[in-house]
Amino acid sequence: MAHLDAYYIYRIEGNWNNIPHQVTGLLYNYHCDSFFEKPIIPHENTNPNRVESLEKLSPNLYPPSFWITDSNNFPLGLINQWFDESENKISIPSSDGMSHTISRLEGRFQNQLITKALSTVPNFLIADGHHRYEAIKQKRYTTALPVFVISSSQAAFQFNELCFKLKENTNIDCLLSRISENWLTQCRIDEADIKINFANNTWGLRLKENDRKNANIFILVYEKLKQINEITSIKTSPECSRFDKECVSVKVVHSNVSHVIQEGVSGRRMPIKSTCFGHKPNENILQHIAKAYSNDSMLEGALS
């Protein structure tokens, strides 16, 4: 039988966009009443209806939530070493072109060291799984939420596109002037902080230096767009189809994980589906672990 509170080292690797890429993290159960509980930072807003629908489902059906930390206390070097030395690796079939491999930590001292290391991490940012976490938190389930935690230094990160529609008879050139007024300047595409696409045309805009310092550009752009009367129905991809010819899309180019974490710590949340992090755990990994280690315990509870 597998231990309910076991840790698994989970490595995802392969060629991503023809570039070798590797992510190594920890897969384990997060308990709301854990003795080493640290602040869990939801950096995006959630849809209450989605949270409510998840509350009606068993947490056993949730795929792992994906968390990151920028703390140097995350034991990345140690888990990489243990993974490379382990003899109990199991490969998980995947259709995403990446290799997914897990190794359960068997030694008591290993589990103790990981628990101690996690207790020194000041916070965790939810990269994916905000609705699952909110459902668990509100219901205070006795079962736990399976999470995959990595160092932010490994995170592939980008903002989703902002999409919005224009009111009738709005001139795109006038709109660009309104958007950029006082805080943006037009520039070459390869120097842009944001790129605006409409009717097969692309414009590059760059923040002025006074707005650049410590700015979470996505939130800054979103809040500025909300102030423009000619703009309506602001959404984020994939909430809004980027192929809608009537939509203007705004792609934020620059920012980093640390800025996102800082905004989350301060309590500011982005719109739903603002960010995209990679590489995520395989959706069916819990079933593969259950089959490999313990058919019974995985189906009864959470990650074991």
Side-chain angles (χ1 to χ4, degrees):
M1 297 291 289
H3 300 293
L4 287 176
D5 291 320
Y7 293 106
Y8 293 82
I9 301 177
Y10 184 179
R11 177 171 290 178
I12 306 172
E13 59 186 335
N15 289 324
W16 184 256
N17 293 330
N18 297 318
I19 300 175
H21 189 78
Q22 183 185 97
V23 173
T24 307
L26 292 170
L27 190 63
Y28 64 97
N29 266 341
Y30 167 78
H31 295 270
C32 287
D33 58 352
S34 170
F35 68 90
F36 62 81
E37 180 181 3
K38 296 294 179 176
I40 311 302
I41 302 170
H43 72 286
E44 293 180 352
N45 286 315
T46 55
N47 183 331
N49 293 331
R50 174 63 175 158
V51 174
E52 184 179 356
S53 66
L54 285 173
E55 289 180 21
K56 299 175 182 178
L57 297 177
S58 168
N60 303 335
L61 301 177
Y62 297 169
S65 185
F66 181 25
W67 297 0
I68 61 176
T69 177
D70 62 355
S71 171
N72 292 329
N73 294 336
F74 183 77
L76 179 59
L78 189 60
I79 63 176
N80 269 316
Q81 175 187 338
W82 286 347
F83 183 88
D84 293 337
E85 295 173 351
S86 69
E87 298 179 354
N88 65 347
K89 299 184 183 75
I90 296 176
S91 296
I92 306 299
S94 178
S95 59
D96 63 1
M98 304 294 283
S99 171
H100 295 250
T101 310
I102 58 169
S103 172
R104 188 177 67 187
L105 294 182
E106 305 284 0
R108 179 184 296 272
F109 78 97
Q110 292 177 316
N111 285 272
Q112 291 174 340
L113 283 175
I114 293 298
T115 299
K116 183 177 180 180
L118 292 177
S119 71
T120 65
V121 174
N123 50 57
F124 299 96
L125 179 84
I126 302 176
D128 182 74
H130 290 77
H131 293 87
R132 280 165 271 165
Y133 173 73
E134 291 293 340
I136 286 281
K137 184 179 178 181
Q138 291 185 28
K139 296 292 287 187
R140 302 294 295 185
Y141 286 111
T142 55
T143 51
L145 177 68
V147 298
F148 175 50
V149 179
I150 70 168
S151 166
S152 62
S153 62
Q154 304 176 94
F157 162 74
Q158 67 181 33
F159 289 117
N160 287 330
E161 293 181 10
L162 285 164
C163 303
F164 60 83
K165 290 188 177 182
L166 302 176
K167 293 182 179 179
E168 292 184 8
N169 302 320
T170 299
N171 181 281
I172 186 65
D173 292 322
C174 292
L175 176 70
L176 289 174
S177 179
R178 290 287 310 280
I179 291 175
S180 61
E181 185 177 12
N182 298 325
W183 66 286
L184 288 170
T185 181
Q186 291 199 18
C187 65
R188 294 180 355 191
I189 298 298
D190 60 353
E191 297 177 344
D193 289 320
I194 69 172
K195 298 177 182 178
I196 296 181
N197 297 279
F198 181 68
N200 297 321
N201 293 313
T202 303
W203 296 266
L205 298 170
R206 183 174 176 81
L207 269 72
K208 294 182 178 179
E209 291 303 319
N210 290 339
D211 288 303
R212 182 178 299 279
K213 295 179 181 179
N214 300 318
N216 182 309
I217 302 178
F218 190 97
I219 292 181
L220 182 60
V221 171
Y222 181 75
E223 291 180 348
K224 294 284 187 179
L225 292 178
K226 288 195 302 182
Q227 299 172 9
I228 298 177
N229 293 330
E230 292 86 352
I231 292 176
T232 183
S233 303
I234 302 177
K235 296 184 179 181
T236 60
S237 59
E239 296 295 310
C240 179
S241 172
R242 67 183 64 188
F243 301 111
D244 189 335
K245 294 182 179 180
E246 297 180 358
C247 280
V248 179
S249 70
V250 180
K251 183 175 178 61
V252 175
V253 180
H254 298 294
S255 197
N256 57 49
V257 175
S258 293
H259 280 162
V260 174
I261 292 176
Q262 290 168 12
E263 290 291 331
V265 170
S266 71
R268 300 183 71 190
R269 296 198 186 187
M270 299 182 190
I272 299 171
K273 299 292 185 183
S274 297
T275 55
C276 179
F277 287 87
H279 287 278
K280 299 176 183 177
N282 185 296
E283 285 284 314
N284 298 317
I285 188 171
L286 298 187
Q287 286 69 32
H288 290 299
I289 292 177
K291 183 176 181 181
Y293 290 102
S294 172
N295 289 321
D296 296 328
S297 60
M298 180 62 66
L299 298 178
E300 292 172 358
L303 177 61
S304 55

